[in-house]
Amino acid sequence: MSDVKKIDQARRRTLFAVLAFGCPACVATATSALARDDEITVQIQQVIARDKADVVSPDDLYARVTINGEVFKTERIRQSDAIIPNWRISKVVQRGEHDVKVEIFDKDVFTADDAIDINRVDNKRDLDFSVDTRRCRINGFASRFKCRNQIRRAGLERKRAEIVFIVDVNR
């Protein structure tokens, strides 16, 4: 069972216990504590290679997503041109603004994994942005995005790709 599900079950048990013993002040505190948690989900829908990342073998792409300081790594997918991985990375956070970083890598056996350029800013391969869970807005891009809007970004440097993803907040 995932840590998120364990925490959620523990909170429900606590709320049930508070309700069972009839403490109105405790119910208000427990209910407001439960209401302050949101879940940020980054769903990477597509990665399209714009040039070859690996000269020796087919590209082995995977994503590394950091949400509020916690790093998540997806499974790798072997493909050369485009993948439709539908990777979903989620983290429960307190209501507010949280930093998110999205990185794509090509897995290498004998050398360090290659960072794939998905950012149109020179000398920056990853995407850094923040998610405001109160307003359900994604900040840090030239364009304004709301939750559930499809975001498309592509790098311009060597070993580049285009990424299509969605950010959502569940309360």
Side-chain angles (χ1 to χ4, degrees), residues 130-139 144-147:
S130 64
V131 178
D132 183 348
T133 63
R134 290 179 300 263
R135 295 184 194 100
C136 211
R137 296 203 188 273
I138 293 84
N139 303 312
R144 296 194 125 229
F145 293 101
K146 292 182 179 179
C147 292

Side-chain angles (χ1 to χ4, degrees), residues 50-61:
R50 294 297 179 206
D51 58 5
K52 191 137 176 67
D54 207 342
V55 179
V56 181
S57 64
D59 296 345
D60 298 327
L61 300 177

Side-chain angles (χ1 to χ4, degrees), residues 42-45 127 129 141 149-151 163-167:
V42 176
Q43 179 186 2
I44 300 174
Q45 298 176 321
L127 297 173
F129 55 93
F141 294 108
N149 286 155
Q150 194 175 65
I151 301 171
I163 183 173
V164 179
F165 66 101
I166 292 174
V167 178

